[in-house]
Amino acid sequence: VPHGLQSDSPTGSISPAGSVSSWQSPPPANEFSWTVQLTRQLIFTYQDHHHKFQDVNFKKKVIWSNIHQDLVSHMHATDPKPTQGQVENKWKTLLAAYKRTRDHNSISGNSKKECAFQSELDTVLGD
């Protein structure tokens, strides 16, 4: 490898030192990653707890802990598990994409778009 360049992948492709390669390998078997099925399960688990976020008697961290526990209980025992933070962040990412899509679609003249899990999020969020 020439000076100032580094190999970012096992195939030996070369990129400038310090740059991030667009190639990503799948996570190792013992590392968690979101699947379509698990993302849908998160959406419907959130729906089960959604009303608690409106109640001042419930602390958000406790609600997220309950959502996390419910989600993990639906997973196979040998599957890598998400952390509570990963569950919260996934929800925030889904919600942000949903809001961006909704905002885009509310502008007259824009072509209609749908985000991933649009119908499931419509069901949960009531739109």
Side-chain angles (χ1 to χ4, degrees), residues 7-124:
S7 176
D8 285 335
S9 74
T11 60
S13 65
I14 298 173
S15 66
S19 72
V20 177
S21 174
S22 62
W23 179 84
Q24 293 183 357
S25 62
N30 63 345
E31 195 173 302
F32 174 76
S33 68
W34 288 98
T35 63
V36 170
Q37 180 181 357
L38 191 57
T39 301
R40 282 194 178 107
Q41 185 62 49
L42 169 60
I43 293 168
F44 293 118
T45 302
Y46 179 89
Q47 182 179 25
D48 293 340
H49 295 271
H50 180 68
H51 67 281
K52 295 176 187 174
F53 285 99
Q54 311 307 318
D55 188 333
V56 296
N57 294 318
F58 288 100
K59 293 185 185 272
K60 287 183 182 181
K61 283 292 178 194
V62 173
I63 301 168
W64 280 113
S65 176
N66 292 336
I67 291 170
H68 174 252
Q69 290 170 3
D70 287 357
L71 184 67
V72 167
S73 74
H74 287 91
M75 297 174 71
H76 295 286
T78 58
D79 289 345
K81 309 295 189 278
T83 64
Q84 183 175 325
Q86 287 173 313
V87 171
E88 286 183 62
N89 287 337
K90 182 65 171 180
W91 177 257
K92 289 175 186 176
T93 301
L94 288 168
L95 189 58
Y98 180 76
K99 287 180 178 180
R100 276 193 311 276
T101 303
R102 187 186 61 202
D103 291 346
H104 169 86
N105 291 340
S106 70
I107 298 172
S108 178
N110 279 353
S111 58
K112 184 164 174 55
K113 292 186 178 183
E114 283 199 356
C115 66
F117 307 101
Q118 179 84 35
S119 62
E120 293 91 340
L121 291 166
D122 281 342
T123 301
V124 171

